[in-house]
Amino acid sequence: ELLEDDEALANVDGVIICTAHAAHAAMGSKFLAAGKHVLMEKPMTVDVAEARELARKASESGLAFMVNNTANYRAQCLEARRLVEAGELGDVHHVLCVMYSPLKFLFDDPANDGWVKPSGTMVGNGFGWGQSSHAIAWPLFVGGLDVKEVTAITHHSETSGADITDAALIRCCSASGQECSITFSGGCSWPGNEHGDEATGKHLCLIHI
């Protein structure tokens, strides 16, 4: 509706796109073409080719285009990136990344369509799309890493069909050409309820050995 309302569109500098996953690529392209900055909810798109095309359009537009991997914009994350860029931690050779969240109530329930059922050209849905994307985006941003190859395996809920545990080995390359690997393990089987009355918190640490 906003794209069809020229008057309203003229009064908008940017948009937040948090529609169904399958609509992200088309909506993002349209608003970039209209000259608007975009904050895109993750996942950026549901298809690798779509993501690359949208990234190209965003780069050529000169506009701000950000994916809502929220942890990447926190002060601690920016400080970690600064340490890596300054060489204070040396070259990044390997990253061990672990994320377990008390979210089984969300991904094990078939009624939560947006979290457990694929849309558009998505291959599956679940913890990988909803949570692992945050955890993996963090070391990629902090280390300035470019992904070259991914080997992954998931375990799916017998109730909802969504993936509830994920494991991956990711081969990357740094801006300086240094090869690096990321070992990732994650799942939603951690006891508790992240959004319950007594929420279970998260802890993030950067360890230099």
Side-chain angles (χ1 to χ4, degrees):
E1 292 179 1
L2 179 59
L3 285 165
E4 296 173 355
D5 188 332
D6 293 338
E7 184 177 351
L9 192 62
N11 293 316
V12 172
D13 294 321
V15 296
I16 299 173
I17 297 177
C18 49
T19 58
H21 300 338
H24 285 188
M27 294 290 286
S29 294
K30 289 177 180 178
F31 278 108
L32 287 172
K36 306 303 175 183
H37 304 294
V38 174
L39 174 61
M40 180 73 76
E41 182 56 90
K42 55 83 185 154
M44 177 178 169
T45 70
V46 297
D47 182 277
V48 173
E50 283 184 344
R52 288 174 175 162
E53 178 63 13
L54 187 56
R56 181 189 65 79
K57 291 177 179 178
S59 178
E60 293 177 353
S61 72
L63 298 164
F65 182 90
M66 302 169 71
V67 179
N68 191 32
N69 293 114
T70 51
N72 286 15
Y73 308 123
R74 294 173 183 167
Q76 302 94 319
C77 180
L78 297 176
E79 174 61 12
R81 182 180 171 97
R82 185 196 68 77
L83 291 171
V84 172
E85 289 180 334
E88 295 185 32
L89 301 182
D91 293 330
V92 179
H93 294 279
H94 181 70
V95 178
L96 174 61
C97 185
V98 179
M99 180 182 188
Y100 283 86
S101 302
L103 292 170
K104 189 174 181 180
F105 75 94
L106 182 64
F107 294 106
D108 202 36
D109 186 346
N112 297 321
D113 288 3
W115 294 97
V116 303
K117 295 179 181 177
S119 61
T121 57
M122 286 178 72
V123 178
N125 199 354
F127 190 84
W129 290 93
Q131 295 295 301
S132 298
S133 52
H134 281 304
I136 295 172
W138 197 90
L140 292 177
F141 176 74
V142 168
L145 304 175
D146 184 28
V147 175
K148 299 300 182 183
E149 183 180 12
V150 178
T151 301
I153 187 169
T154 62
H155 173 73
H156 296 84
S157 164
E158 295 180 359
T159 305
S160 68
D163 67 275
I164 54 175
T165 59
D166 306 320
L169 176 61
I170 306 169
R171 185 171 65 86
C172 306
C173 187
S174 70
S176 65
Q178 172 69 51
E179 280 213 337
C180 170
S181 59
I182 299 175
T183 302
F184 172 77
S185 175
C188 63
S189 53
W190 196 263
N193 183 334
E194 185 173 325
H195 301 287
D197 292 334
E198 296 183 3
T200 303
K202 298 177 182 176
H203 180 70
L204 180 66
C205 62
L206 181 68
I207 302 174
H208 177 218
I209 299 176

